[in-house]
Amino acid sequence: SSRVLWTLAVTQFDLFRCRERTLQASSMSLVLPENFVHILRILNTNVDGKQKVVFALRSIRGVGRRFATLVCKKADVDTNRRAGELSPEEIERVVAIIQDPRKYKIPDWFLNRQKDVFDGAFTQITSNGLDMKFRDDIERLRKIRNHRGLRHTWGVRVRGQHTKTTGRCGRTVGVSKKKGG
């Protein structure tokens, strides 16, 4: 009986190793050039080099699907290539376009910060700048005692959602019963 269990364990182990080999073979189908970079550092963000350029650029906060496609077209980068295959010059062009898109004739309606409250500029804000601008906007709303700012201060829903029954987050739920008779 112990011999049968041992052979059963050995066959299961062999099946596992066989399955592991096929998984490795399927995930290693990508033929890498000699100057391939697995992780790129673009605008303080780690970008996966194995993804296609457009999808890799989307990992940068403030860069969406359409903006990434437009940046690749303006930088003359093939969208079917992998991000790790890009040369340093191509990466510099992409970064320059993301940082100053108006210089490369990307229209104002395409940018994520239109007509800034403080300086009236049209810009594309990415990564750490996005957090700072978001925090500054909420702080400005609180300072001028705007309704949205007050709702942020109170920690309740800001955009007009119903709050009677949803989003209680740990507060008491339901009707409390009276103790006793």
Side-chain angles (χ1 to χ4, degrees), residues 69-142:
T69 307
L70 186 63
V71 164
C72 288
K73 286 181 182 176
K74 292 282 183 182
D76 294 328
V77 174
D78 184 20
T79 56
N80 292 322
R81 288 174 60 195
R82 305 284 169 179
E85 298 172 359
L86 295 179
S87 67
E89 296 83 27
E90 290 172 324
I91 294 172
E92 288 175 16
R93 278 188 303 200
V94 167
V95 169
I97 292 172
I98 291 174
Q99 286 179 337
D100 192 10
R102 293 184 81 195
K103 184 175 163 186
Y104 295 91
K105 295 191 170 102
I106 292 179
D108 289 341
W109 54 264
F110 219 95
L111 307 178
N112 66 2
R113 183 73 175 183
Q114 299 175 10
K115 208 168 166 184
D116 191 8
V117 178
F118 299 109
D119 57 1
F122 291 81
T123 54
Q124 180 75 17
I125 300 175
T126 56
S127 59
N128 297 338
L130 203 61
D131 292 331
M132 289 186 340
K133 286 289 186 181
F134 186 69
R135 197 175 336 108
D136 291 345
D137 288 343
I138 292 174
E139 198 57 45
R140 182 180 55 84
L141 291 173
R142 287 179 179 160

